[in-house]
Amino acid sequence: MTTSPLQQRPAWKALEAHYTEIAPRHLRELFAHDPTRGTRMIAEAEGLYLDYSKNRVTDETMELLFQLAHESGLVERRDQMFSGEHINVSEDRAVLHVALRMPEESSLVVDGVDVVREVHAALDQMADFCTRVRDGSWKGHSGKRIKNIVNIGIGGSDLGPVMAYEALRYYSQRDLTFRFVSNVDATDLTEAVRDLQADETLFIISSKTFGTLETLTNAKSARNWLFEQIGDSSAVAKHFVAVSTNAEKVSEFGIDVANMFPFWDWVGGRYSMDSAIGLSTMLAIGPQGFKELLDGFHAMDEHFRSAPLERNLPALMGLLAVWNRNFLGCQTAGVMPYDQYLKRLPAYLQQLTMESNGKHVALDGTILSYDTGAIHWGEAGTNGQHSFYQLIHQGTTIVPVDLIGFAKSLNPLGEHHDILSSNIFAQAQALAFGKTEAEIRAEGTPADVVAHRVMEGNRPTNVLLAEVLSPRLLGSLIALYEHSVFTQGAIWGIDSFDQWGVELGKELAVKIIPELEAGTEPVLAHDSSTNALIEHYRALKRKEKTHAVD
Ligand code: F6P
C-alpha cells in the first residue's frame, strides 16, 4: 500500500521518529524530571479544566502535533465548517450544527438562506409548545393535561435526547415523566408505556428522515396503543408530534405538519441534540434551561474557533487522540464520567465518535494506509472500577481514558462526593505511575505473588474537571467532544459527517424480513450460513409454545 499525503507530511514523519524517543520513557520519569508538568500541561475554557499531563507526551510531542494540525489544514477546515461550505463531501452538504446555537442577533447566510433566522424560528415554535405542555394548557384528547412524554427515535434521534434528559434530570420539571423508545424490539415500547395512560401521554416521533424502519415501526405501534385506549383516531392530533426534516412523510404518517418541529439536512443525526431533536430536553428543562444549554455549546464553538491550538481544548484533545491512535497504536479509548447523571454519555459519545470517524477512505475516496477512529466505550464511575478497570490497569491492551468529574454534587450527601471524586484522581495516578516491583516487595508481599501485583503504569489519561453539572456546562462538554472528533477527522482527511457503513445491513434486513414472516417459503438463496440460520429460526418459530408467550 502506498503511503498517503498525511504520512508524507514532515510533521508526521517527525512524529514517527519522535515516537522512538518517547516509547521507552515512563510517565514516572517525565514527571520526576519536570516538576511543572502538572500545572503546565493543562488548558481551561468555559468552565472545563483539562489536565493532559498524564499523556505520554513531551512539549516536543505537542509542538509536532500542532505542526501536524497546521500542515493538515485543521484551521482552514474548521473555518470552512463555520462558513457553511459543503465539507460533507460524500453527501454534498454543509455541516452546520454550530449554527444551531448561534445567538439570535447573529446571521449566517448559506446557499442564499440566513440559517440563524430559521433556527430561531424553530426554537420559538419549540418554546411555545413546551411552555404549553409544561403549564398544562396543551390538553390531551380527553381534556386532561399531559403527564408523560415518550420520545421515539433511534441513533442521533434518541441518544442525544436520552443522554441530555438523564444529564439534566436535576433541572427537569418533576411532574412530567419521560421515556425513550429506540429499539425495534417490541419490549422497548411495551415496557415504556406499560404503566401510562394514553390520554395523558404525548409521543414525540423523532426522525431526521422519517424513513427509519425501527422508528416508524415503533411509531405505528404507539399509534395503535393510543387508538386502543382512546378509541378515536383523531386523538393523534393532541398526542403525537414529530421532529423531522421530512414534512411529506410526517404528513403521510398522519401527523399534522403544524405539529412538526423542523430541522435541516445540514444537521447530522449525531450532531442534532441541540436542534428540534432536543424537544424532549426542552420539555424537561424548559426554554430557559435549553437556552443555557445552547449558550454552553456556542461558548465552546467560539473557543474552538478563536483559541490558539496550544490552549484550544477540542484541538488538544483531538490531537492527543491522534497521537494515541496512530503513534502509540491504541485501538480503543474509554470515557468515564464520575457523575451518575452522565451515565448515558458514553453511549452518546460512541455514536458521535465512531459513526463520525470509523472510516476507511480519504475525502477523495482513496483507501487509507493509517488507522482512524478508536473504539469508544465507558461507564459511569465508580461502577467501571469494579468491573473492567482491571484490564485498563494490568491488561495487555492500552486504553487511554478520559475521566470527567465535578467539584460539587447536585445531591450533596455526607461524604459521598469526595469519596467519588477521590477516585478520579486516584485512578489517573494509578494508571500513570503504577506500582513497581520494588515497592511491592518492600510491602512484604510473598515472592510468588509479586509479579501479579506489579502495576506497570504509563497508561494515558485526560482529566476534565468542572465546578458543577449544569445545562450550560453540558453544552460546552458536548461541543468539546464534537470539535475533538472534528479535529481528528481533519487530520485523518476523512469525511466525519457521513455514515454509509450502516446502509448495507439495513438493506439486507429489509430483504430478510419477508423470509422470516413466511412459513417455509420462499426458498432461500443466500449463502449457506444465512440460509441455515433462517431455516433454524423458522423451525423454532413453528415449535409448540413451551412457555407463556402471547
Ligand atoms: O443508522 C444510522 C442513522 O442514520 C444515524 O446516523 C441516525 O442518527 C439514525 O440512523 C436515525 O436516523 P433518523 O433520525 O433519520 O431516523
Side-chain angles (χ1 to χ4, degrees), residues 77-304:
R77 197 155 167 77
R78 176 191 72 192
D79 293 345
Q80 286 171 348
M81 172 172 75
F82 276 90
S83 64
E85 282 187 40
H86 287 207
I87 62 166
N88 176 354
V89 288
S90 78
E91 295 179 314
D92 190 18
R93 284 178 184 165
V95 173
L96 270 178
H97 43 279
V98 291
L100 296 170
R101 48 261 195 162
M102 285 185 177
E104 199 161 7
E105 57 282 6
S106 57
S107 152
L108 178 63
V109 179
V110 176
D111 303 330
V113 177
D114 185 350
V115 295
V116 179
R117 292 281 69 70
E118 297 201 340
V119 163
H120 281 272
L123 283 169
D124 289 346
Q125 185 196 352
M126 288 165 68
D128 174 60
F129 175 72
C130 291
T131 303
R132 286 196 283 152
V133 173
R134 284 163 63 88
D135 70 14
S137 55
W138 176 282
K139 303 278 187 236
H141 186 69
S142 64
K144 288 192 187 165
R145 66 178 291 172
I146 297 297
K147 286 193 185 157
N148 316 305
I149 288 138
V150 181
N151 185 78
I152 295 182
I154 197 164
S157 300
D158 166 70
L159 287 163
V162 69
M163 180 277 290
Y165 170 67
E166 292 295 347
L168 301 176
R169 199 177 186 142
Y170 177 84
Y171 301 92
S172 68
Q173 184 166 315
R174 298 290 186 157
D175 62 357
L176 293 173
T177 295
F178 289 82
R179 303 268 162 87
F180 297 84
V181 174
S182 54
N183 198 337
V184 73
D185 183 338
T187 299
D188 204 5
L189 177 67
T190 307
E191 291 292 345
V193 297
R194 177 161 231 115
D195 56 347
L196 305 185
Q197 294 297 319
D199 60 355
E200 299 174 339
T201 301
L202 175 79
F203 289 96
I204 305 173
I205 311 303
S206 296
S207 175
K208 180 175 170 181
T209 53
F210 228 77
T212 304
L213 185 57
E214 290 91 335
T215 299
L216 290 185
T217 306
N218 277 322
K220 283 177 197 154
S221 298
R223 196 175 51 187
N224 291 343
W225 174 82
L226 186 92
F227 290 171
E228 274 165 26
Q229 277 203 30
I230 298 185
D232 182 351
S233 62
S234 70
V236 163
K238 291 290 176 195
H239 294 272
F240 273 73
V241 297
V243 179
S244 187
T245 59
N246 195 334
E248 208 179 312
K249 287 206 169 157
V250 166
S251 164
E252 233 170 71
F253 179 84
I255 297 176
D256 186 344
V257 287
N259 292 333
M260 171 183 142
F261 299 85
F263 65 118
W264 307 271
D265 70 356
W266 41 261
V267 184
R270 54 195 175 273
Y271 297 88
S272 67
M273 61 169 275
D274 48 340
S275 71
I277 288 289
L279 190 67
S280 56
T281 313
M282 193 192 272
L283 281 163
I285 63 171
Q288 180 55 30
F290 199 78
K291 183 183 178 309
E292 288 165 24
L293 176 78
L294 297 183
D295 289 347
F297 270 102
H298 181 65
M300 186 56 75
D301 294 343
E302 289 302 297
H303 168 77
F304 180 53

Side-chain angles (χ1 to χ4, degrees), residues 525-538:
H526 303 283
D527 59 276
S528 60
S529 161
T530 309
N531 285 347
L533 284 166
I534 294 174
E535 291 292 10
H536 192 68
Y537 178 91
R538 285 169 166 177

